[in-house]
Amino acid sequence: AFMAGGAGVEAYFGYAHAHSDMTSEDWRSRDQWWGYGGLAVQLFSTVPFWTMESDDSLVRAGDYCFAARETVYMVYHHTAIDGLATLDLSHSNKTFAVTWFDTLTGSYHIPLGSTATVTGGAVTAYGSPPSRTGQHWIAIAKVMPTTSEQCIGTLPGPCIPNSGN
């Protein structure tokens, strides 16, 4: 929902369970769900999400892209990544640093042996996540700022230039 431009999520516990929507008084049974919410907050605090919009035309079928063109691109992979993951940067002449976000652990991985930077001007392959390629991953491509630019966000690697918004 977040990367499609949604404003949030809703959770229904279901009515056919001992701790249903109507009767649950022990929310610990949903502990893992709350943890995933925390990971989403962690991830989105590293990008200017208020300037981004869904733009799936930039990625291959089945992947999802949330982008502020020329600044940052987040590509969600919910299927196996076969090393053919691409991002259409034909509209840009900038260089972007690629970081992988592990949706299961909340950890960031700067690629080793995979593509660490990509340059605009074409549809660009950006490699594979560091492990568990059949799991959910988010690739984050952030523009490489000039040395005089102030930055926002706390993602490892290059920062996002602050446009003054």
Coordinates of all heavy atoms in Angstrom, one line a residue, residues 30-85:
R30 N -0.5 -10.7 17.7 CA -0.2 -10.1 16.4 C 1.2 -9.4 16.5 O 1.5 -8.5 15.8 CB -1.3 -9.0 16.1 CG -2.7 -9.5 16.1 CD -2.9 -10.8 15.3 NE -4.3 -11.1 15.1 CZ -5.0 -11.8 15.9 NH1 -4.6 -12.2 17.0 NH2 -6.3 -12.1 15.5
D31 N 2.0 -9.9 17.4 CA 3.3 -9.3 17.7 C 4.2 -9.1 16.4 O 4.8 -8.1 16.1 CB 4.1 -10.1 18.7 CG 5.4 -9.5 19.0 OD1 5.4 -8.3 19.4 OD2 6.5 -10.1 18.9
Q32 N 4.2 -10.1 15.6 CA 5.0 -10.1 14.3 C 4.5 -9.0 13.4 O 5.2 -8.3 12.8 CB 5.0 -11.4 13.6 CG 5.9 -11.5 12.5 CD 6.0 -12.9 11.9 OE1 5.1 -13.7 12.1 NE2 7.1 -13.2 11.3
W33 N 3.2 -8.8 13.4 CA 2.6 -7.7 12.5 C 3.0 -6.3 13.0 O 3.4 -5.5 12.2 CB 1.0 -7.8 12.6 CG 0.4 -6.7 11.9 CD1 -0.3 -5.7 12.4 CD2 0.3 -6.6 10.4 NE1 -0.8 -4.8 11.4 CE2 -0.5 -5.4 10.2 CE3 0.7 -7.3 9.3 CZ2 -0.7 -4.9 8.9 CZ3 0.4 -6.8 8.1 CH2 -0.3 -5.7 7.9
W34 N 3.1 -6.1 14.3 CA 3.5 -4.8 14.8 C 5.0 -4.6 14.4 O 5.4 -3.5 14.1 CB 3.3 -4.7 16.3 CG 2.0 -5.1 16.8 CD1 1.7 -5.9 17.8 CD2 0.7 -4.7 16.2 NE1 0.3 -6.1 17.9 CE2 -0.3 -5.3 17.0 CE3 0.3 -3.8 15.2 CZ2 -1.6 -5.1 16.7 CZ3 -1.0 -3.7 14.9 CH2 -2.0 -4.3 15.7
G35 N 5.8 -5.6 14.4 CA 7.2 -5.5 14.1 C 7.4 -5.1 12.6 O 8.2 -4.3 12.3
Y36 N 6.5 -5.7 11.7 CA 6.6 -5.3 10.3 C 6.2 -3.8 10.1 O 6.8 -3.1 9.3 CB 5.7 -6.1 9.5 CG 6.1 -7.6 9.3 CD1 5.2 -8.6 9.3 CD2 7.5 -7.9 9.2 CE1 5.6 -9.9 9.2 CE2 7.9 -9.2 9.1 CZ 7.0 -10.2 9.1 OH 7.4 -11.5 9.0
G37 N 5.3 -3.3 10.9 CA 5.0 -1.9 10.9 C 6.1 -1.0 11.3 O 6.4 0.0 10.7
G38 N 6.9 -1.5 12.3 CA 8.1 -0.7 12.7 C 9.1 -0.7 11.6 O 9.8 0.3 11.4
L39 N 9.3 -1.8 10.9 CA 10.2 -1.8 9.8 C 9.8 -0.9 8.7 O 10.7 -0.2 8.1 CB 10.4 -3.3 9.2 CG 11.0 -4.3 10.1 CD1 11.0 -5.7 9.4 CD2 12.4 -3.9 10.5
A40 N 8.5 -0.8 8.4 CA 8.0 0.2 7.4 C 8.4 1.6 7.8 O 8.8 2.4 7.0 CB 6.5 0.0 7.2
V41 N 8.1 1.9 9.1 CA 8.5 3.3 9.6 C 10.0 3.5 9.4 O 10.4 4.6 9.0 CB 8.0 3.5 11.1 CG1 8.6 4.7 11.7 CG2 6.5 3.4 11.2
Q42 N 10.8 2.6 9.8 CA 12.2 2.7 9.7 C 12.6 3.0 8.2 O 13.4 3.9 7.9 CB 12.9 1.4 10.2 CG 14.4 1.3 9.9 CD 15.0 -0.1 10.2 OE1 14.4 -0.8 11.0 NE2 16.0 -0.4 9.5
L43 N 12.1 2.2 7.3 CA 12.4 2.4 5.9 C 12.0 3.7 5.4 O 12.8 4.4 4.7 CB 11.8 1.3 5.1 CG 11.9 1.4 3.5 CD1 13.4 1.3 3.1 CD2 11.1 0.3 2.9
F44 N 10.8 4.1 5.6 CA 10.3 5.3 5.0 C 10.8 6.6 5.7 O 10.7 7.7 5.2 CB 8.7 5.3 5.0 CG 8.2 4.5 3.8 CD1 8.0 3.2 4.0 CD2 8.0 5.1 2.6 CE1 7.6 2.4 2.9 CE2 7.5 4.4 1.5 CZ 7.3 3.0 1.7
S45 N 11.5 6.4 6.8 CA 12.1 7.6 7.5 C 13.4 8.0 6.8 O 14.0 9.0 7.1 CB 12.3 7.4 9.0 OG 13.3 6.4 9.1
T46 N 13.9 7.1 5.8 CA 15.1 7.4 5.2 C 15.0 8.0 3.8 O 16.0 8.3 3.1 CB 15.9 6.0 5.0 OG1 15.2 5.2 4.1 CG2 16.1 5.4 6.3
V47 N 13.7 8.2 3.4 CA 13.5 8.8 2.0 C 12.4 9.9 2.2 O 11.6 9.9 3.1 CB 13.0 7.7 1.0 CG1 14.0 6.7 0.8 CG2 11.7 7.1 1.5
P48 N 12.4 10.9 1.2 CA 11.4 11.9 1.2 C 10.1 11.4 0.6 O 9.7 11.8 -0.5 CB 12.1 13.0 0.3 CG 12.9 12.2 -0.6 CD 13.4 11.0 0.1
F49 N 9.4 10.5 1.3 CA 8.3 9.9 0.8 C 7.2 10.8 0.4 O 6.3 10.5 -0.5 CB 7.7 8.8 1.8 CG 7.3 9.4 3.1 CD1 6.0 9.9 3.3 CD2 8.2 9.5 4.2 CE1 5.6 10.5 4.5 CE2 7.8 10.1 5.4 CZ 6.5 10.6 5.5
W50 N 7.1 12.0 1.0 CA 6.1 13.0 0.7 C 6.3 13.6 -0.7 O 5.4 14.2 -1.3 CB 6.1 14.1 1.7 CG 7.4 14.8 1.9 CD1 7.8 15.9 1.2 CD2 8.5 14.4 2.7 NE1 9.1 16.2 1.6 CE2 9.5 15.3 2.5 CE3 8.7 13.3 3.6 CZ2 10.8 15.2 3.1 CZ3 9.9 13.2 4.2 CH2 10.9 14.2 4.0
T51 N 7.4 13.3 -1.4 CA 7.7 13.8 -2.7 C 7.6 12.7 -3.7 O 7.7 12.9 -4.9 CB 9.0 14.5 -2.8 OG1 10.1 13.5 -2.7 CG2 9.2 15.6 -1.8
M52 N 7.3 11.5 -3.3 CA 7.4 10.3 -4.1 C 6.0 9.8 -4.6 O 5.0 10.1 -3.9 CB 8.1 9.2 -3.4 CG 9.6 9.5 -3.0 SD 10.3 8.3 -1.9 CE 10.7 7.0 -3.0
E53 N 6.0 9.1 -5.7 CA 4.8 8.5 -6.2 C 5.0 7.2 -6.9 O 6.1 6.9 -7.3 CB 4.1 9.5 -7.1 CG 4.9 9.9 -8.3 CD 4.2 11.0 -9.1 OE1 3.5 11.9 -8.5 OE2 4.3 11.0 -10.3
S54 N 4.0 6.4 -6.9 CA 4.1 5.1 -7.6 C 4.4 5.3 -9.1 O 3.8 6.2 -9.7 CB 2.8 4.4 -7.4 OG 2.9 3.1 -8.1
D55 N 5.4 4.6 -9.6 CA 5.8 4.7 -11.0 C 6.3 3.4 -11.5 O 7.5 3.2 -11.8 CB 6.9 5.8 -11.1 CG 7.0 6.3 -12.6 OD1 6.4 5.7 -13.5 OD2 7.7 7.3 -12.8
D56 N 5.4 2.4 -11.6 CA 5.7 1.0 -12.0 C 6.2 0.9 -13.5 O 6.7 -0.1 -13.9 CB 4.6 0.1 -11.8 CG 4.2 0.0 -10.3 OD1 5.0 0.3 -9.5 OD2 3.0 -0.4 -10.0
S57 N 6.0 2.0 -14.2 CA 6.5 2.0 -15.6 C 8.0 1.9 -15.7 O 8.5 1.6 -16.8 CB 5.9 3.2 -16.4 OG 6.5 4.4 -15.9
L58 N 8.7 2.2 -14.6 CA 10.1 2.2 -14.6 C 10.8 0.9 -14.3 O 12.0 0.8 -14.4 CB 10.6 3.2 -13.5 CG 10.2 4.7 -13.7 CD1 10.6 5.5 -12.5 CD2 10.7 5.2 -15.0
V59 N 10.0 -0.1 -14.0 CA 10.5 -1.4 -13.6 C 9.9 -2.5 -14.4 O 8.8 -2.3 -15.0 CB 10.4 -1.7 -12.1 CG1 11.2 -0.7 -11.3 CG2 8.9 -1.6 -11.6
R60 N 10.4 -3.7 -14.3 CA 9.9 -4.9 -15.0 C 8.5 -5.3 -14.4 O 8.2 -5.0 -13.3 CB 10.9 -6.0 -15.0 CG 11.1 -6.7 -13.7 CD 12.1 -7.7 -13.7 NE 12.2 -8.3 -12.4 CZ 12.8 -9.5 -12.1 NH1 13.4 -10.1 -13.1 NH2 12.8 -9.9 -10.9
A61 N 7.7 -6.0 -15.2 CA 6.4 -6.5 -14.8 C 6.6 -7.3 -13.5 O 7.4 -8.1 -13.4 CB 5.8 -7.3 -15.9
G62 N 5.7 -7.0 -12.5 CA 5.7 -7.8 -11.3 C 6.5 -7.1 -10.2 O 6.3 -7.4 -9.0
D63 N 7.3 -6.1 -10.5 CA 8.0 -5.3 -9.5 C 7.2 -4.0 -9.3 O 6.4 -3.6 -10.1 CB 9.4 -5.0 -9.9 CG 10.3 -6.3 -9.9 OD1 9.9 -7.2 -9.2 OD2 11.3 -6.2 -10.6
Y64 N 7.4 -3.3 -8.2 CA 6.8 -2.1 -7.9 C 7.8 -1.0 -7.6 O 8.7 -1.2 -6.8 CB 5.8 -2.2 -6.6 CG 4.8 -3.3 -6.8 CD1 5.0 -4.6 -6.3 CD2 3.6 -3.0 -7.6 CE1 4.0 -5.6 -6.5 CE2 2.7 -4.0 -7.7 CZ 2.9 -5.3 -7.3 OH 1.9 -6.2 -7.5
C65 N 7.6 0.2 -8.1 CA 8.5 1.3 -8.0 C 7.8 2.5 -7.3 O 6.7 2.9 -7.7 CB 9.1 1.7 -9.3 SG 10.4 3.0 -9.2
F66 N 8.5 3.1 -6.3 CA 8.0 4.3 -5.7 C 9.2 5.3 -5.9 O 10.3 5.0 -5.5 CB 7.8 4.0 -4.2 CG 7.0 5.0 -3.4 CD1 5.8 5.5 -3.9 CD2 7.6 5.5 -2.2 CE1 5.1 6.5 -3.1 CE2 6.9 6.4 -1.5 CZ 5.7 6.9 -1.9
A67 N 8.9 6.4 -6.5 CA 10.0 7.2 -7.0 C 9.8 8.7 -6.8 O 8.6 9.2 -6.9 CB 10.3 6.9 -8.5
A68 N 10.8 9.4 -6.6 CA 10.9 10.9 -6.8 C 12.0 11.0 -7.8 O 13.2 10.9 -7.6 CB 11.4 11.6 -5.5
R69 N 11.6 11.0 -9.1 CA 12.5 11.0 -10.2 C 13.7 12.0 -10.0 O 13.5 13.0 -9.5 CB 11.8 11.3 -11.5 CG 10.9 10.1 -12.0 CD 10.4 10.4 -13.4 NE 9.6 9.3 -13.8 CZ 9.6 8.9 -15.1 NH1 10.3 9.4 -16.0 NH2 8.8 7.9 -15.4
E70 N 14.8 11.5 -10.4 CA 16.1 12.2 -10.3 C 16.7 12.3 -8.9 O 17.7 12.8 -8.7 CB 16.0 13.7 -10.8 CG 15.6 13.8 -12.3 CD 16.7 13.4 -13.2 OE1 17.9 13.7 -13.0 OE2 16.4 12.7 -14.2
T71 N 15.9 11.7 -7.9 CA 16.4 11.8 -6.5 C 16.5 10.4 -5.9 O 17.6 10.0 -5.4 CB 15.4 12.6 -5.7 OG1 15.3 13.9 -6.3 CG2 15.9 12.8 -4.3
V72 N 15.4 9.7 -5.8 CA 15.4 8.4 -5.2 C 14.4 7.4 -5.8 O 13.3 7.9 -6.2 CB 15.2 8.5 -3.6 CG1 13.9 9.1 -3.3 CG2 15.4 7.1 -2.9
Y73 N 14.7 6.2 -5.9 CA 13.8 5.1 -6.4 C 13.8 4.0 -5.4 O 14.9 3.5 -5.0 CB 14.3 4.6 -7.8 CG 14.4 5.7 -8.8 CD1 15.6 6.5 -8.9 CD2 13.4 6.0 -9.7 CE1 15.7 7.6 -9.8 CE2 13.5 7.0 -10.7 CZ 14.6 7.8 -10.7 OH 14.7 8.8 -11.6
M74 N 12.7 3.5 -5.1 CA 12.6 2.3 -4.3 C 11.8 1.2 -5.1 O 10.7 1.5 -5.6 CB 11.8 2.6 -3.0 CG 12.4 3.6 -2.1 SD 11.3 4.1 -0.7 CE 11.1 2.5 0.2
V75 N 12.4 0.1 -5.3 CA 11.8 -1.0 -6.1 C 11.6 -2.2 -5.2 O 12.5 -2.8 -4.6 CB 12.7 -1.4 -7.3 CG1 12.0 -2.4 -8.1 CG2 13.1 -0.2 -8.1
Y76 N 10.3 -2.6 -5.1 CA 9.9 -3.7 -4.2 C 9.9 -4.9 -5.1 O 9.2 -5.0 -6.1 CB 8.6 -3.4 -3.6 CG 8.0 -4.6 -2.8 CD1 8.6 -5.1 -1.7 CD2 6.8 -5.2 -3.3 CE1 8.1 -6.2 -1.0 CE2 6.3 -6.3 -2.6 CZ 6.9 -6.8 -1.5 OH 6.4 -7.8 -0.8
H77 N 10.6 -6.0 -4.6 CA 10.6 -7.3 -5.3 C 9.9 -8.3 -4.4 O 10.3 -8.5 -3.3 CB 12.0 -7.8 -5.6 CG 12.8 -6.8 -6.4 ND1 12.8 -6.8 -7.8 CD2 13.7 -5.8 -6.1 CE1 13.6 -5.9 -8.2 NE2 14.1 -5.3 -7.2
H78 N 8.7 -8.8 -4.8 CA 8.0 -9.8 -4.0 C 8.2 -11.2 -4.6 O 7.6 -12.1 -4.1 CB 6.6 -9.4 -3.8 CG 5.8 -9.4 -5.1 ND1 5.9 -8.5 -6.1 CD2 4.9 -10.3 -5.6 CE1 5.1 -8.8 -7.1 NE2 4.5 -9.9 -6.8
T79 N 8.9 -11.3 -5.7 CA 9.1 -12.6 -6.3 C 10.7 -12.8 -6.4 O 11.4 -11.9 -6.1 CB 8.5 -12.7 -7.7 OG1 9.1 -11.6 -8.5 CG2 7.0 -12.5 -7.7
A80 N 11.1 -13.9 -6.9 CA 12.5 -14.2 -7.0 C 13.2 -13.2 -7.9 O 12.6 -12.8 -8.9 CB 12.7 -15.6 -7.5
I81 N 14.4 -12.8 -7.5 CA 15.2 -11.9 -8.3 C 16.2 -12.7 -9.0 O 17.0 -13.4 -8.3 CB 15.8 -10.8 -7.4 CG1 14.7 -10.1 -6.6 CG2 16.6 -9.8 -8.2 CD1 15.2 -9.2 -5.5
D82 N 16.2 -12.7 -10.3 CA 17.1 -13.5 -11.0 C 18.3 -12.8 -11.6 O 19.0 -13.3 -12.5 CB 16.3 -14.2 -12.2 CG 15.6 -13.1 -13.0 OD1 15.9 -11.9 -12.9 OD2 14.7 -13.5 -13.8
G83 N 18.6 -11.6 -11.0 CA 19.8 -10.9 -11.5 C 19.4 -10.0 -12.7 O 20.2 -9.2 -13.2
L84 N 18.1 -10.0 -13.1 CA 17.7 -9.2 -14.2 C 16.9 -8.0 -13.8 O 16.2 -7.4 -14.6 CB 16.9 -10.1 -15.2 CG 17.6 -11.3 -15.8 CD1 16.7 -12.1 -16.7 CD2 18.8 -10.9 -16.6
A85 N 16.9 -7.7 -12.5 CA 16.2 -6.5 -12.1 C 16.7 -5.3 -12.7 O 17.9 -5.0 -12.8 CB 16.3 -6.4 -10.6

